[in-house]
Amino acid sequence: KDNLGVCKARVFGDETLWWVYNDNGNVHAATGGKAIGLEVRAQAFAFKTTDEINNMTFYSYQIINRSSFQLSNTYMTVWTDADLGQYIDDYIGCDVKRGLGYIYNGDNYDETNFGVNGYGSSIPALGCDFFQGPINTTDGIDNNGNGLIDEAGEQMGMTKFLYFNNTIGATPLQTTDPQNATQTYQYMTGFWKDGTPFTCGGNAYGGSVPTSYVYPADTYTNGPCGNTWTEVTAGNLPNDRRFLQSSGPFELLPGAVNYVTFGLPWARTSTTDQLASIPLLKTADDKAQA
């Protein structure tokens, strides 16, 4: 709003919700972290259509540094606890090229359990696409793929795709919910609770080759983990997964304004193959990006 009380923010979609919050005051119950002076203006919106866009929701966060100091090594992270139907039998994966993280079922039948309705034998996949990231300063990388490095206004996309498990019933404990601000930041930046890096292969814990993206399959052709690594090929036990999509590092100056925009595409196969929903999800995501 300007000093006349006129709202200058753009409103999106056929239906929208808008709210504002900041991290000053009260208790940071989830992390125990200190206030750093951020104001967040959030907008959730959706479109009424006759195609896949009708099954999606979108979110835009305007993030303002209201403090008087610079934030260094800043990451902005979208955290998704998707709970796909019955929530203890899920797998996750990512498409690095699209900036897409997604969750799908770990077997071909999603039971009704723990008071939660499952999808049965035709199981969807849900994604989270990092459409717009923060403005980069100087990291020496062509973040937006336009052939220029560190140009003015260069946006960063998804630079990390990571995860952790619900603490209940998961092992090892080093891969479960963070308990404090330090562990939360470690998860945002590519490290497990015990400070070791995410690594290629298996459940991404305890290996020898660090990685920024877990379970990228064939979408990270120049990456360190090959082009076949998924939860299926790793033979992991499904569980209650939470995944994180980070963008950083960058410097956030006093008064700086950044935007993070993401969408949640959804697609459902009519077959009994739970993996068949993943290519449908990527098709839906391409429409959302367009």
Side-chain angles (χ1 to χ4, degrees):
K1 297 176 68 176
D2 62 19
N3 58 4
L4 299 178
V6 178
C7 182
K8 294 183 176 181
R10 295 181 62 190
V11 175
F12 302 108
D14 295 308
E15 184 172 354
T16 187
L17 300 171
W18 188 92
W19 67 102
V20 62
Y21 58 96
N22 65 73
D23 79 327
N24 272 329
N26 218 319
V27 178
H28 292 194
T31 66
K34 296 179 179 179
I36 54 178
L38 294 186
E39 176 183 320
V40 180
R41 301 178 180 185
Q43 184 179 175
F45 54 100
F47 298 91
K48 184 178 181 180
T49 69
T50 58
D51 62 3
E52 292 92 337
I53 303 298
N54 193 67
N55 293 326
M56 303 181 193
T57 54
F58 301 87
Y59 306 84
S60 181
Y61 289 83
Q62 180 185 10
I63 301 171
I64 307 169
N65 183 1
R66 295 293 193 190
S67 74
S68 59
F69 53 87
Q70 174 178 313
L71 299 174
S72 300
N73 294 316
T74 307
Y75 285 76
M76 292 183 179
T77 302
V78 178
W79 172 82
T80 305
D81 181 13
D83 290 348
L84 191 71
Q86 196 273 105
Y87 53 88
I88 63 169
D89 61 351
D90 295 337
Y91 277 160
I92 58 160
C94 74
D95 188 310
V96 177
K97 296 177 182 177
R98 287 180 169 89
L100 175 69
Y102 55 86
I103 191 164
Y104 60 105
N105 220 57
D107 55 33
N108 61 11
Y109 191 83
D110 190 41
E111 300 85 358
T112 292
N113 241 333
F114 308 106
V116 178
N117 291 329
Y119 281 102
S121 58
S122 296
I123 311 170
L126 174 74
C128 182
D129 190 309
F130 211 94
F131 294 134
Q132 179 184 24
I135 301 299
N136 172 45
T137 48
T138 53
D139 65 354
I141 298 173
D142 178 15
N143 291 288
N144 55 8
N146 67 352
L148 301 174
I149 296 175
D150 295 339
E151 73 271 21
E154 182 182 28
Q155 287 186 9
M156 305 184 79
M158 182 180 77
T159 60
K160 305 278 185 182
F161 178 79
L162 310 162
Y163 84 101
F164 55 88
N165 293 301
N166 187 333
T167 301
I168 300 173
T171 56
L173 289 178
Q174 293 91 335
T175 68
T176 59
D177 296 313
Q179 303 300 311
N180 54 50
T182 297
Q183 292 175 359
T184 301
Y185 184 74
Q186 287 174 180
Y187 272 131
M188 293 169 64
T189 57
F191 299 90
W192 294 103
K193 285 168 63 173
D194 61 1
T196 61
F198 280 75
T199 54
C200 297
N203 66 353
Y205 178 77
S208 58
V209 180
T211 183
S212 294
Y213 303 97
V214 299
Y215 313 122
D218 59 354
T219 69
Y220 190 31
T221 53
N222 295 322
C225 303
N227 60 359
T228 61
W229 184 33
T230 69
E231 294 230 61
V232 175
T233 61
N236 293 341
L237 290 176
N239 209 318
D240 183 8
R241 305 274 196 260
R242 299 83 146 82
F243 65 79
L244 307 99
Q245 292 159 278
S246 286
S247 190
F250 62 97
E251 309 301 315
L252 191 61
L253 300 175
V257 179
N258 266 293
Y259 289 86
V260 172
T261 301
F262 58 98
L264 298 180
W266 180 94
R268 187 176 190 178
T269 180
S270 59
T271 74
T272 59
D273 178 9
Q274 82 276 19
L275 301 181
S277 289
I278 297 175
L280 297 177
L281 178 73
K282 293 184 178 184
T283 299
D285 184 60
D286 288 342
K287 286 192 175 185
Q289 290 197 20

